[in-house]
Amino acid sequence: MSEYILEMNQITKEFSGVKALDDVNLKVKRGEIMAICGENGAGKSTLMNVLSGVYPYGEYTGDIVYNGEICRFRNIKDSEAKGIVIIHQELALSPYLSVAENVFLGNERATKGVIDWTETRAEAQKLLSRVGLEGENVNVPVNTLGVGKQQLIEIAKALGKKCELLILDEPTAALNDRESAQLLELMLQLKQEGITCIIISHKLNEISYVADSITIIRDGHTIETLEKGKDDFSEERIIKGMVGRELTNRYPKREGIQIGDTIFELRNWNVYHPDDSERHALKNINLQVKAGEVVGLAGLMGAGRTELAMSVFGRSWGQKISGEVLINGKSVNLASVQNAIDNHLAYVSEDRKTYGLVLIDSVKFNMTLSALKGFFSKKGVVDENLESVRAEEYRKKINVKTNSVEQAVGSLSGGNQQKVVLAKWMLTEPDVLILDEPTRGIDVGAKYEIYCVINELAKAGKAVIVISSEMPEIIGTCDRTYVINEGEIAGELSGSDITQEAIMACIMAHNRKEEVEA
C-alpha cells in the first residue's frame, strides 16, 4: 500500500478564462494532518472543491489519485462514497432539525425508506461521544447550540459517513480560543484513530501546532511543502511562502495622526435581550472615541460586544433600549439603520455574507448600496455612471482583486469580499466606523491591507471602533481599549498597558466582582 492516501496531479481549473488553479500538485501521506496555506484567492478552497466533487470531473484537468485509484467524481456523493468528506467554512446544518437528524442528514438510518429513530439517536450519541460531546441531548434543535458545538456536530456527521480523509475549511474561524483548542485536540485524536486530515486555516499558530506538513499555494500554483521536524515551521517562514516576501511587521505603524475632539460618545446605554424583556443584556455602557483614534472592544465570546454595536446601529438588536448617543457633541436619534447612516455612523458586521453583502450582485452594486440615497441618486434616479466611477476608484484604492466592478461579489475570495464591505461603508463618508471582526477568515496579507485602511481612516480624522476576538489584533491596532464582560464595561486600557494579560485580568476581576454581588 502506498504511503500516500491522496495525490492530485497537474490540477488546472478555470473560471471565465481565468486560471484559479494552474498545474497544482499535492501529495498527502496516510494518517497525517496536512495544512494548506495561502492568501485569499490563492486557490485553496477551489482545490478542495475539485477533490470533493463540488467541481465535477470535466470542469478541470488533471488527475485525482485516491488509495492508488484514479478517481473521477461527478458530485459530493461520489467522493463521500470513497470516504472523502469536506466540512466547509459555512456549516451545512439544518438549524431547525434536531442534533440527531443533522448527524445523519443525507445518510439516514432507514429500512425500505422508513427511518429507525431509535437507532438514529443511539448512533448519533456514539458519534457525539467520539468528538467530545458525551451526554449532549440529541433531540434539541441544532440552532440552540453554540457555534463550537455545531462545528463538532459537523465532524460527527462526517465520521458517520465512514470518513477516511477529512477536509476542514477554516474550522476555527468563528470559534473562541477554548473551542479552537478543543477542535485541534480532536484532530490529533482522529489522527491517532487513523483518519487523515487536510486543514485550511489562516491561523498560523494553530497550523504550526497541529500539522505534520504544510503545502503553500500562491496565485493558483503550489509553491512548496514544509515538513515538521525537517523544515522551518515558524509563522514568519509560512508567511514568506504565502506572500512571497518577508512580512516583518504585521501591524503597520500609524504616523502623523492627530487625536482630536470626541466624535462619538455613549452615555448610560442599557439594552434588554430581544427574546426576554427581563434579561438585562447591556448595563450602563459609557464610552467615547475621539477623532483619529482607534478604540478596541475586547472580551470573550458572548461578552456583548456585537450586541452593543448592533444595538447602537439603528437599534438592530435588543429591546427597551435607553441611554444617549452623541456624535460630534450632538445627541442623535438612531432609531433605524437609515437614521444611523444619515448621522454618519457605519457598521461593518462580523458576518459579511449574511449582513454585509448581496452575494449574487456585482461589486459595484454592493459598494454603492448604502450610499445610493445620499450620493448616487437624484429624485429617485440612480446615476449609474457615477456609481461605476466611484466603485472603480475604491477598487483601486483598497486593492480589491477582481476582473471588474461588474463581477459578482460572491465569486471573490473572503478577503476581497471584506474589502468590498469596507468600501460600501467608506462611500457613505461616515464620521464613526464600527468594525466587527474586520479580518475574520482572511489571510495575513489581506489583514495587513485592512489594517492600512483602518490607519487611513484614522488619519482622515474618523473615529474607529474595532471589535476583535484576536487579542494580538486589538493590541496591534488600537490606541485605547474597553474590556467588556457579561454586558458591562470591565475596564479601560491605553497604549502600552493594552496586553493580553491586562485584558484577562480585567475580565477575571469583573467576574469576581459579579460573584461577590451575587
Side-chain angles (χ1 to χ4, degrees):
M1 185 180 288
S2 169
E3 70 171 316
Y4 295 106
I5 191 172
L6 172 71
E7 296 180 54
M8 300 183 76
N9 300 321
Q10 298 177 306
I11 302 294
T12 298
K13 168 70 178 163
E14 294 186 1
F15 293 101
S16 304
V18 178
K19 287 186 178 180
L21 298 172
D22 189 1
D23 198 31
V24 170
N25 295 282
L26 181 75
K27 287 186 175 183
V28 182
K29 290 179 180 176
R30 197 176 302 277
E32 78 165 337
I33 298 175
M34 166 174 272
I36 299 180
C37 289
E39 294 187 274
N40 286 102
K44 309 180 298 296
S45 294
T46 301
L47 183 64
M48 292 301 100
N49 285 336
V50 166
L51 171 59
S52 60
V54 173
Y55 301 133
Y57 177 74
E59 290 189 7
Y60 64 90
T61 60
D63 289 325
I64 297 171
V65 182
Y66 183 71
N67 278 328
E69 174 190 353
I70 293 178
C71 297
R72 294 173 175 174
F73 301 133
R74 295 164 298 170
N75 50 45
I76 288 181
K77 281 284 186 186
D78 283 356
S79 63
E80 288 184 349
K82 293 287 186 181
I84 301 171
V85 182
I86 184 169
I87 298 176
H88 295 280
Q89 185 174 351
E90 286 80 29
L91 301 180
L93 299 175
S94 185
Y96 300 110
L97 294 183
S98 71
V99 172
E101 288 170 313
N102 270 282
V103 168
F104 289 108
L105 192 61
N107 183 33
E108 288 80 8
R109 294 296 180 258
T111 304
K112 294 181 180 180
V114 178
I115 294 175
D116 184 334
W117 289 110
T118 302
E119 182 185 353
T120 296
R121 295 185 183 99
E123 290 299 315
Q125 200 73 67
K126 289 178 185 176
L127 290 168
L128 291 179
S129 295
R130 285 183 67 185
V131 299
L133 293 177
E134 298 91 347
E136 193 70 39
N137 186 349
V138 298
N139 299 312
V140 299
V142 79
N143 66 351
T144 62
L145 305 178
V147 177
K149 286 186 177 180
Q150 289 187 33
Q151 187 71 264
L152 295 175
I153 289 166
E154 277 278 26
I155 295 175
K157 183 178 171 183
L159 296 177
K161 296 172 181 175
K162 295 182 170 57
C163 171
E164 290 183 358
L165 174 61
L166 180 63
I167 305 163
L168 298 142
D169 192 352
E170 295 290 349
T172 63
L175 306 186
N176 60 33
D177 290 343
R178 181 182 56 78
E179 291 167 335
S180 296
Q182 183 180 359
L183 190 140
L184 295 176
E185 293 303 324
L186 174 59
M187 288 182 66
L188 293 171
Q189 175 189 320
L190 294 176
K191 174 186 168 183
Q192 294 298 316
E193 295 175 13
I195 294 175
T196 306
C197 294
I198 297 175
I199 178 173
I200 298 172
S201 178
H202 294 304
K203 296 184 178 181
L204 303 185
N205 60 324
E206 295 180 356
I207 282 174
S208 298
Y209 171 69
V210 81
D212 299 300
S213 64
I214 300 171
T215 292
I216 295 171
I217 298 179
R218 188 195 317 147
D219 298 328
H221 298 270
T222 37
I223 302 300
E224 59 187 342
T225 296
L226 307 175
E227 294 187 20
K228 185 172 281 186
K230 179 181 175 184
D231 299 304
D232 183 0
F233 245 49
S234 67
E235 292 183 33
E236 290 71 22
R237 176 66 184 84
I238 300 169
I239 291 168
K240 183 180 179 182
M242 287 170 58
V243 303
R245 65 186 189 280
E246 300 278 359
L247 197 60
T248 53
N249 190 351
R250 295 195 206 177
Y251 303 99
K253 291 182 179 179
R254 276 201 310 283
E255 296 175 332
I257 294 176
Q258 297 293 321
I259 304 296
D261 296 330
T262 298
I263 285 187
F264 177 78
E265 187 173 359
L266 272 185
R267 292 180 182 171
N268 300 320
W269 194 252
N270 288 273
V271 181
Y272 287 78
H273 196 279
D275 299 327
D276 184 355
S277 62
E278 299 302 313
R279 184 175 161 193
H280 200 172
L282 298 169
K283 307 161 195 169
N284 297 317
I285 303 289
N286 291 277
L287 59 81
Q288 56 180 240
V289 189
K290 296 178 179 178
E293 191 176 34
V294 180
V295 170
L297 297 184
L300 303 176
M301 289 282 242
R305 297 164 302 163
T306 293
E307 291 79 1
L308 174 60
M310 291 182 70
S311 69
V312 171
F313 186 68
R315 305 200 170 194
S316 305
W317 188 91
Q319 62 176 311
K320 292 165 59 177
I321 298 173
S322 62
E324 192 176 15
V325 182
L326 292 91
I327 296 178
N328 291 315
K330 175 186 169 187
S331 182
V332 293
N333 174 24
L334 306 181
S336 70
V337 169
Q338 189 59 56
N339 287 153
I341 295 170
D342 292 343
N343 282 287
H344 306 288
L345 174 67
Y347 171 57
V348 176
S349 68
E350 64 175 335
D351 186 347
R352 57 179 171 263
K353 292 191 175 181
T354 302
Y355 299 114
L357 297 168
V358 182
L359 293 172
I360 61 173
D361 255 304
S362 67
V363 170
K364 178 183 79 174
F365 176 88
N366 278 278
M367 279 189 176
T368 60
L369 183 58
S370 294
L372 271 182
K373 181 184 174 185
F375 297 88
F376 296 104
S377 63
K378 186 177 289 186
K379 295 182 179 179
V381 179
V382 175
D383 187 336
E384 293 187 11
N385 184 56
L386 180 59
E387 263 193 302
S388 297
V389 169
R390 294 287 279 159
E392 181 62 29
E393 176 190 332
Y394 269 81
R395 182 181 78 85
K396 293 176 180 175
K397 185 174 183 178
I398 59 178
N399 192 27
V400 179
K401 294 176 184 174
T402 174
N403 296 331
S404 82
V405 294
E406 299 297 338
Q407 185 174 343
V409 77
S411 67
L412 303 185
S413 67
N416 286 301
Q417 288 181 4
Q418 190 69 8
K419 291 178 189 175
V420 172
V421 178
L422 279 170
K424 177 180 83 169
W425 290 111
M426 289 165 69
L427 279 164
T428 65
E429 298 183 6
D431 292 328
V432 183
L433 283 99
I434 304 173
L435 309 178
D436 195 350
E437 302 287 358
T439 65
R440 170 172 288 171
I442 62 177
D443 64 81
V444 287
K447 281 183 178 183
Y448 188 88
E449 291 179 336
I450 286 175
Y451 299 147
C452 289
V453 171
I454 291 172
N455 286 356
E456 287 300 314
L457 291 168
K459 198 169 185 179
K462 311 296 184 185
V464 183
I465 297 172
V466 174
I467 300 170
S468 179
S469 297
E470 297 185 29
M471 289 192 194
E473 186 166 83
I474 290 285
I475 295 163
T477 59
C478 298
D479 303 299
R480 198 159 48 81
T481 294
Y482 290 98
V483 181
I484 297 182
N485 188 56
E486 300 290 342
E488 294 184 272
I489 300 288
E492 181 184 343
L493 303 166
S494 300
S496 59
D497 291 334
I498 307 174
T499 64
Q500 294 195 40
E501 293 78 10
I503 291 170
M504 288 308 300
C506 285
I507 293 170
M508 298 307 291
H510 185 263
N511 284 339
R512 287 193 294 271
K513 177 187 168 190
E514 293 269 294
E515 289 170 7
V516 169
E517 291 177 353

